[in-house]
Amino acid sequence: MLLERLGPKPYIPEGDNAPFNLYPNHMNVYLKFTIQLIVLTAAIAGLAMAIQHLADPLWIHEKAFLILAFYFVLTLLTGLLALYLLEISKENSVMILLGLGVLRVTASLAFIFLILWTGVGNILWFVVDFFMIYLLYLLFDIYTFITNLRPHSE
């Protein structure tokens, strides 16, 4: 009854035109990517802890959580860089993604070299755990950028 006395509802713009929009559209992409990456990392860490406690503890290498932290940082940096570069240049999307893929593989090989150079026990399980985590993050990257390229292709 009180609302009827006040008259019609005023027009409040939404999206980029909203007066109190704290996160513009391009920030939502970065924030969404970061949150999805944090959820993925937490899920992988939880799975690794569960395997370590429920199954044979040798299946999860002692450096597995270091590998997980490395891929979290690497994926965060390359992902945010890719989103930024794709926002700037939509025409060069293939070159951007291929270049970042090469950077990712190079950084991964350098990480493996440094860890093996410092000396690590049980190299077989280290390599198995490393590539399992690598493949999970690679699938995440593929999924993220395929879903992100759809709006750019229009």
Side-chain angles (χ1 to χ4, degrees), residues 41-59:
T41 304
I44 294 172
L47 181 66
M49 284 192 241
I51 290 172
Q52 203 170 28
H53 290 292
L54 298 176
D56 190 5
L58 294 177
W59 287 3

Side-chain angles (χ1 to χ4, degrees), residues 5 14 16 30 33 41 46 59 95 105 128 130 133 151:
R5 289 186 206 166
E14 296 178 5
D16 285 336
Y30 299 131
F33 174 78
T41 304
W59 287 3
M95 294 305 291
V105 168
V128 168
F130 183 86
I133 293 171

Side-chain angles (χ1 to χ4, degrees), residues 2-56:
L2 178 64
L3 293 177
E4 292 172 359
R5 289 186 206 166
L6 295 176
K9 289 173 81 176
Y11 170 72
I12 300 174
E14 296 178 5
D16 285 336
N17 299 327
F20 300 109
N21 190 359
L22 296 177
Y23 301 105
N25 274 344
H26 69 275
M27 287 303 291
N28 284 337
V29 174
Y30 299 131
L31 186 63
K32 182 180 174 184
F33 174 78
T34 306
I35 290 172
Q36 287 175 342
L37 183 61
I38 290 171
V39 169
L40 173 74
T41 304
I44 294 172
L47 181 66
M49 284 192 241
I51 290 172
Q52 203 170 28
H53 290 292
L54 298 176
D56 190 5

Side-chain angles (χ1 to χ4, degrees), residues 50-131:
I51 290 172
Q52 203 170 28
H53 290 292
L54 298 176
D56 190 5
L58 294 177
W59 287 3
I60 303 298
H61 194 269
E62 61 192 24
K63 303 255 187 213
F65 294 103
L66 178 65
I67 298 168
L68 195 61
F70 167 74
Y71 271 113
F72 174 76
V73 171
L74 181 66
T75 304
L76 182 66
L77 293 177
T78 57
L80 292 177
L81 181 62
L83 290 173
Y84 175 72
L85 292 175
L86 288 172
E87 186 177 304
I88 290 174
S89 175
K90 296 172 186 161
E91 303 85 33
N92 296 325
S93 61
V94 173
M95 294 305 291
I96 291 169
L97 294 177
L98 285 176
L100 289 173
V102 168
L103 176 69
R104 186 179 177 80
V105 168
T106 306
S108 298
L109 291 174
F111 180 78
I112 288 175
F113 174 74
L114 287 174
I115 294 295
L116 293 178
W117 187 52
T118 59
V120 64
N122 202 354
I123 294 175
L124 175 67
W125 281 111
F126 172 77
V127 171
V128 168
D129 290 345
F130 183 86
F131 282 109

